[in-house]
Amino acid sequence: MATSRALRYLESGKNLAGSACGVAGVGLALAGAAGAYWPLVVAGLYGAGALIAPPERVAPPAVPDPAERLGVVREDLGRLREYLAEVELPRAAGEALAGLLELYAALLDPRWAAEVLAADPEAVHALSRAVRTDVPECVDTYHRTRWWTRLSPGGESPERHLERQLAVLVAEAERVTADLHEMEVRRQQTHTTYLEDRGRS
């Protein structure tokens, strides 16, 4: 770590500027202008050069391209489908989940909605969270709770909880869809206004 920092400093603009000023100090010493204190002059010029040099710019972390992020979510959706194909669900929940997955797939379709989706980071986050966390957690907790309910029956059924959870996720996906649709409507209206204004000018 220390060696790495030392190497980075040797290559830094501060060291290069300080070295250039230090070389100028050596030149003054050779010309006899620095006198007996030439080491202090060289060191002082090096320090001054290092101080006035602009600080090193640290590159910001690379942010994935929106299309690339959606590609990852699309792959996650494929893995989610494979997982769900192996689990047993009540009919009503299974139908609701199938519709939800179709809606997710439509939102991630690279030919249509994905371009609009990529422009809305909050929508991308909501969809990613649903595919990676929410749906798998709903199904897994349903199966775990159903097993315990067989040992200790009573209370609201796991099936009912699953249906309630999926209803919330469906409503969330429908809100995202409505918001993206509204974005496209506004975009069309804006273009209409632009063309009409251009036609009048």
Side-chain angles (χ1 to χ4, degrees), residues 47-88:
L51 285 174
I52 63 173
E56 292 294 315
R57 179 179 176 272
V58 179
V63 178
D65 179 80
E68 183 181 325
R69 290 175 60 199
L70 289 182
V72 174
V73 179
R74 205 174 290 118
E75 292 173 3
D76 291 337
L77 179 60
R79 284 189 285 270
L80 178 60
R81 285 183 183 275
E82 293 173 3
Y83 162 67
L84 294 174
E86 301 295 324
V87 300
E88 181 184 343

Side-chain angles (χ1 to χ4, degrees), residues 30 98 101 177:
L30 292 176
L101 294 182
T177 304

Side-chain angles (χ1 to χ4, degrees), residues 3-15:
T3 304
S4 174
R5 282 199 297 267
L7 289 174
R8 279 201 303 272
Y9 180 76
L10 288 175
E11 298 172 350
S12 68
K14 286 186 172 294
N15 181 53

Side-chain angles (χ1 to χ4, degrees), residues 18 21-29 33-49:
C21 290
V23 169
V26 171
L28 290 174
Y37 299 102
W38 68 267
L40 293 177
V41 172
V42 172
L45 286 172
Y46 174 89

Side-chain angles (χ1 to χ4, degrees), residues 16 18 33 38 80-81 107 109 115 125 145 184 189 191:
L16 294 176
W38 68 267
L80 178 60
R81 285 183 183 275
L107 289 170
D109 188 334
E115 182 180 347
H125 173 70
T145 308
E184 285 291 78
Q189 291 172 343
H191 192 58

Side-chain angles (χ1 to χ4, degrees), residues 3-190:
T3 304
S4 174
R5 282 199 297 267
L7 289 174
R8 279 201 303 272
Y9 180 76
L10 288 175
E11 298 172 350
S12 68
K14 286 186 172 294
N15 181 53
L16 294 176
S19 296
C21 290
V23 169
V26 171
L28 290 174
L30 292 176
Y37 299 102
W38 68 267
L40 293 177
V41 172
V42 172
L45 286 172
Y46 174 89
L51 285 174
I52 63 173
E56 292 294 315
R57 179 179 176 272
V58 179
V63 178
D65 179 80
E68 183 181 325
R69 290 175 60 199
L70 289 182
V72 174
V73 179
R74 205 174 290 118
E75 292 173 3
D76 291 337
L77 179 60
R79 284 189 285 270
L80 178 60
R81 285 183 183 275
E82 293 173 3
Y83 162 67
L84 294 174
E86 301 295 324
V87 300
E88 181 184 343
L89 293 172
R91 180 177 176 182
E95 291 175 353
L97 190 52
L100 182 60
L101 294 182
E102 287 302 318
L103 186 50
Y104 290 160
L107 289 170
L108 290 167
D109 188 334
R111 298 167 298 176
W112 294 100
E115 182 180 347
V116 185
L117 177 64
D120 188 341
E122 290 185 9
V124 174
H125 173 70
L127 186 57
S128 175
R129 180 184 58 201
V131 169
R132 293 175 176 171
T133 305
D134 295 337
V135 173
E137 183 72 8
C138 289
V139 174
D140 186 56
T141 53
Y142 159 73
H143 280 285
R144 290 173 178 271
T145 308
R146 187 177 64 163
W147 185 85
W148 282 105
T149 302
R150 291 171 180 168
L151 300 178
S152 177
E156 191 171 13
S157 69
E159 290 78 6
R160 178 61 185 141
H161 274 290
L162 178 60
E163 291 170 9
R164 288 170 56 191
Q165 292 167 355
L166 293 177
V168 172
L169 292 177
V170 168
E172 180 183 60
E174 289 175 345
R175 280 197 305 273
V176 169
T177 304
D179 290 345
L180 296 178
H181 177 225
E182 181 63 26
M183 285 174 60
E184 285 291 78
V185 169
R186 287 198 301 269
R187 179 183 174 190
Q188 185 185 37
Q189 291 172 343
T190 300

